[in-house]
Amino acid sequence: MSAVMITRKVTRKWEKLPGKNTFCCDGRVMMGRQKGVFYLTLFLIVGTCSLFFAFECPYLAVHLSPAIPVFAVLLFVFVMAMLLRTSFSDPGVLPRALPEEANFIEMEIEAANGNVMAGQRPPPRIKNVQINNQIVKLKYCYTCKIFRPPRASHCSICDNCVDRFDHHCPWVGNCVGKRNYRYFYLFTLSLSLLTIYIFAFNIVHVVLRSVDSGFVNTIKETPGTVLEVLVCFFTLWSVVGLTGFHTYLISLNQTTNEDIKGSWSGKNRVQNPYSHKSIIKNCCEVLCSPTYPSVLDRRGVMLEDLSSPTPSDASAASTHQSSNPVSQTTKSSAPLIPNEHTPDEAKPGIGSGTQKSTSSPKEEKPPSPTSPNAVAPAVIKESSH
Amino acid sequence: MFTREKQGFERKKLMHCLQCFHNLQELRHSASLATKVFIQRDYRDGTICKFQTKFPAELDSRIERSLFEETLKTLNCYYAEAEKIGGQSYLEGCLACATAYIIFLCMETRYEMILKKISMYIQEQNEKIYAPRGLLLTDPVERGMRVVSFAKSQDGFLKRWHHLERAKHDL
């Protein structure tokens, strides 16, 4: 009875992605680099809700209605789901250009700019496109080596170009972009509702109990109330304000980034070419448009070179030389115009390995698009019975 | 006796698997050595996914303009269908929101289903039209939906492509 087992260490694409994202659960979860404030957000929400369920809910369920804690649980679950969805999903990162594409773009730029005299600064790399009868300038990203699509922007914290970039939110520990903007909005909206709910029922609880036992005794019996009221009071102003601001942006079909830069402020007769001129249509587009899949393919398997035996140790660097044959050689005559912005990481195809942090509680199914190319089986096991 | 035959068959299948994988490697490798032509996005109608249908001069000698335009128009139609904001997208959005988007852990979105259709269409186009002319069309989803790329090669893609497709059918 012999068992022949050929195991190959599978390198997934997320391990080789450039940029400063953190990946968990073997590429299923994708976050920004700094997570401290995200943990604070989690702590505040979970902590406050736990206090509410522990101190207020028993009393209110008995004296008012059992629907109160039930609704609070539903709201809490929704808030957590939205927060985790916003934090753990790909915001709409645009993959960097592979060498062939980068060279092709360089050739186009050279052709467009003509000869630059020695010592003169080359003209800025901008492409003008007409969108809905409005001229929009597309800027060139020196890190990603692409002309950024309209509404995309480069996040310096995550070191990625993100499609329909809104802002990088430290509270959720991730960028907010095309793919997770609706989750972010629903998170702020539901959190506002939850905060108002908890705040209101705290007040109701204190009033009801004070009628029976007096105010000081009430505070002694349920000390968590004070903490909850404090947290809710300060959260209320910021979160409700944020929700209102984003509702305004959605109705105009603008991003925070565009609002801050004043891209469509109306001077020089510049108007927002993406707006449908109707609040309902704008809201529908932002909140009800189809869910856009991730183009990063984090969980795709890197093709390894079969001819050279690679040691199957944990280090991903061992597969660095032999992986991704697409980026090896290209036949292109355009010399790369050196620029001062190109960091070392932006070398063709493969960047440095990303950090791997400890596993997180929630797993998210990656909406990775199917690729027509085959995928290597991880373990090919042959045994006789 | 039967198990020994089965063992032999399994071993052959395994070697065949590895051989096909090696062929795919070769194909991709030769695609990387080829000159590439990139078709950029067309942003005139906004940020929807649409590619320019202007026929590039580099492909003039390789393929007829009508075939190229037809492929790109079909691709644009697929993407337009995927990004259409209508009854189905509302329904999907509302249902997903009501379940706190947990349903997306079990269900594929409409966009993903259409992307699968697109990749099958591209495969079919490569087989029938582009590989015989020494071209290979790559799925834009592999390039971040930025470009549709055509790889031109002198050595025959066709032979290797057919071998690969036959091997896939055998499996």
Side-chain angles (χ1 to χ4, degrees), chain A residues 78 82 85 95 100-101 104 130-132 149-150 288 290 292-293 303 326 328-329 365 367 370 372 374 380, chain B residues 14 21 24-25 28-29 32-33 36 38 43-44 82 89-90 97 101 104-105 111-112 115-116 142 145-146:
Chain A
F78 191 79
M82 291 300 104
R85 192 101 202 175
E100 308 97 33
E101 198 189 330
F104 186 83
Q130 196 176 49
I131 300 176
N132 291 331
C288 303
Y292 194 74
L303 296 173
V326 180
Q328 276 167 3
T329 49
K365 179 192 169 196
T370 54
I380 307 164
Chain B
L14 169 71
F21 187 66
L24 174 66
Q25 286 273 119
R28 288 195 90 173
H29 187 69
S32 74
L33 291 174
K36 290 206 173 155
F38 294 95
Y43 292 117
R44 279 173 304 178
S89 72
Y90 290 151
C97 187
Y101 295 95
F104 283 154
L105 296 173
Y111 210 116
E112 282 165 356
L115 281 182
K116 276 196 179 144
E142 290 175 29
M145 306 286 237
R146 276 196 310 270

Side-chain angles (χ1 to χ4, degrees), chain A residues 56 75 82 101 106 129 135 144 168 186 195 226 229 236 292 306 313 315 325 328 336 349 375 383:
Chain A
E56 273 80 23
L75 207 49
M82 291 300 104
E101 198 189 330
E106 294 275 353
V129 293
I135 300 288
C144 304
H168 182 99
L186 289 172
T195 313
V226 179
V229 167
L236 210 66
Y292 194 74
L306 283 171
D313 59 337
S315 162
Q328 276 167 3
L336 262 178
V375 165
S383 65

Side-chain angles (χ1 to χ4, degrees), chain A residues 17-70:
Chain A
L17 279 177
K20 294 179 185 154
N21 291 97
T22 324
F23 296 90
C24 307
C25 300
D26 200 19
R28 291 182 180 89
V29 164
M30 178 173 174
M31 288 185 76
R33 202 174 27 159
Q34 295 143 351
K35 297 187 284 291
V37 188
F38 167 68
Y39 293 136
L40 176 68
T41 311
L42 268 179
F43 173 73
L44 283 173
I45 297 175
V46 173
T48 312
C49 289
S50 312
L51 289 175
F52 182 69
F53 293 133
F55 290 110
E56 273 80 23
C57 282
Y59 185 87
L60 289 170
V62 167
H63 287 81
L64 272 185
S65 163
I68 294 170
V70 168

Side-chain angles (χ1 to χ4, degrees), chain B:
Chain B
M1 287 274 268
F2 182 69
T3 50
R4 224 172 280 154
E5 278 172 20
K6 194 179 171 187
Q7 202 178 338
F9 176 72
E10 290 291 315
R11 203 174 278 133
K12 270 189 203 158
K13 206 171 161 184
L14 169 71
M15 297 317 294
H16 197 61
C17 244
L18 293 173
Q19 184 60 35
C20 287
F21 187 66
H22 192 68
N23 286 340
L24 174 66
Q25 286 273 119
E26 267 187 59
L27 195 65
R28 288 195 90 173
H29 187 69
S30 51
S32 74
L33 291 174
T35 327
K36 290 206 173 155
V37 181
F38 294 95
I39 313 294
Q40 306 285 346
R41 284 267 294 267
D42 181 0
Y43 292 117
R44 279 173 304 178
D45 293 330
T47 49
I48 57 166
C49 188
K50 194 176 168 189
F51 292 96
Q52 291 177 1
T53 48
K54 186 167 150 267
F55 189 63
E58 295 94 334
L59 294 179
D60 208 5
S61 50
R62 294 282 194 142
I63 189 162
E64 295 83 34
R65 182 188 287 256
S66 55
L67 287 170
F68 167 87
E69 280 178 3
E70 205 205 299
T71 308
L72 279 194
K73 279 192 180 140
T74 315
L75 280 179
N76 285 340
C77 281
Y78 272 122
Y79 285 120
E81 193 196 321
E83 296 195 6
K84 196 173 72 165
I85 303 171
Q88 208 174 348
S89 72
Y90 290 151
L91 200 63
E92 194 184 59
C94 289
L95 182 70
C97 187
T99 60
Y101 295 95
I102 294 170
I103 201 168
F104 283 154
L105 296 173
C106 338
M107 190 182 93
E108 224 178 29
T109 64
R110 198 166 135 255
Y111 210 116
E112 282 165 356
M113 289 195 261
I114 294 182
L115 281 182
K116 276 196 179 144
K117 275 198 223 168
I118 289 172
S119 75
M120 277 172 48
Y121 171 74
I122 288 178
Q123 207 166 343
E124 181 209 323
Q125 289 283 292
N126 270 330
E127 215 177 65
K128 290 189 189 158
I129 298 177
Y130 294 99
R133 289 167 172 80
L135 292 173
L136 183 70
L137 173 63
T138 54
D139 198 336
V141 95
E142 290 175 29
R143 298 281 178 270
M145 306 286 237
R146 276 196 310 270
V147 283
V148 175
S149 69
F150 285 87
K152 301 196 293 188
S153 177
Q154 292 303 323
D155 54 17
F157 271 133
L158 178 64
K159 216 164 80 177
R160 281 190 208 141
W161 184 265
H162 276 173
H163 180 85
L164 200 65
E165 292 304 303
R166 232 181 295 132
K168 269 195 209 163
H169 286 306
D170 290 344
L171 285 173

